[in-house]
Amino acid sequence: MFCRMLPLVSRLVEDPRPPLRAAVVAMCGDFCLWMGGKWSAILLDVMLCCFRDKEEAVRAAAVRAVPHAVLALVKTAAITADAAEREGGGEGGGGSYRFESIAKLFVSLIPAVCSMHSDMGISVRTALCRTLSQVLALLYAVSRKGTLSTFLFLPKM
């Protein structure tokens, strides 16, 4: 089912009508939560492409979708950590690969979001302020809880 949805999302974010593109990209964070895992990486690419859209409303919608995308990454990381713990510490190919891929997504997403501070659109910069506070609060809560201690970069963010 999910593999059928991605081409549809990709086509809709390329639609010539800005309100439709904005509506679709606004849902990408939710799609990341619903679809999870490997699908989130593809949806994050879609969101990042929308950061460069010519329409301010589309860029702002993409920025506003980020907290749900980050929550999806945290959820996937927590599931991976739990599975690794059940398997005996997470050593081996599967768990460590998942951690590395999730870490790469975090490390690419956060600078891309922060780069939006130079956007000329006031609604984009306003969305960025709200988004950063939500993302930082989420990452702070996760790092304080210690659930994702494998991600040593989280407290530094």
Side-chain angles (χ1 to χ4, degrees):
M1 175 175 84
F2 293 144
C3 60
R4 292 182 191 159
M5 191 172 129
L6 287 175
L8 178 62
V9 170
S10 295
R11 277 195 306 273
L12 290 173
V13 296
E14 294 173 0
D15 192 271
R17 294 166 292 199
L20 182 57
R21 290 195 312 269
V24 172
V25 75
M27 292 300 298
C28 278
D30 290 328
F31 292 152
C32 286
L33 278 172
W34 297 328
M35 296 168 75
K38 64 182 179 182
W39 306 109
S40 293
I42 297 166
L43 289 163
L44 283 172
D45 284 342
V46 170
M47 287 172 52
L48 293 176
C49 288
C50 289
F51 281 7
R52 296 184 300 273
D53 196 280
K54 64 183 176 189
E55 293 292 328
E56 181 178 336
V58 176
R59 295 190 311 272
V63 170
R64 284 191 297 271
V66 168
H68 284 156
V70 169
L71 183 57
L73 289 175
V74 167
K75 179 181 164 187
T76 301
I79 290 168
T80 301
D82 288 345
E85 203 170 289
R86 282 193 305 273
E87 292 173 5
E91 299 299 322
S96 64
Y97 171 76
R98 293 284 306 268
F99 278 124
E100 289 173 19
S101 62
I102 295 167
K104 285 178 186 176
L105 290 172
F106 268 119
V107 170
S108 65
L109 177 64
I110 300 303
V113 171
C114 292
S115 73
M116 298 304 285
H117 80 280
S118 61
D119 193 280
M120 297 307 290
I122 190 72
S123 64
V124 174
R125 293 194 314 265
T126 302
L128 178 63
C129 290
R130 182 179 180 97
T131 294
L132 285 179
S133 67
Q134 292 172 335
V135 169
L136 290 174
L138 174 63
L139 294 179
Y140 178 75
V142 168
S143 67
R144 293 286 294 167
K145 188 176 177 185
T147 305
L148 302 179
S149 58
T150 306
F151 295 102
L152 300 176
F153 65 88
L154 284 179
K156 295 176 185 168
M157 254 183 220

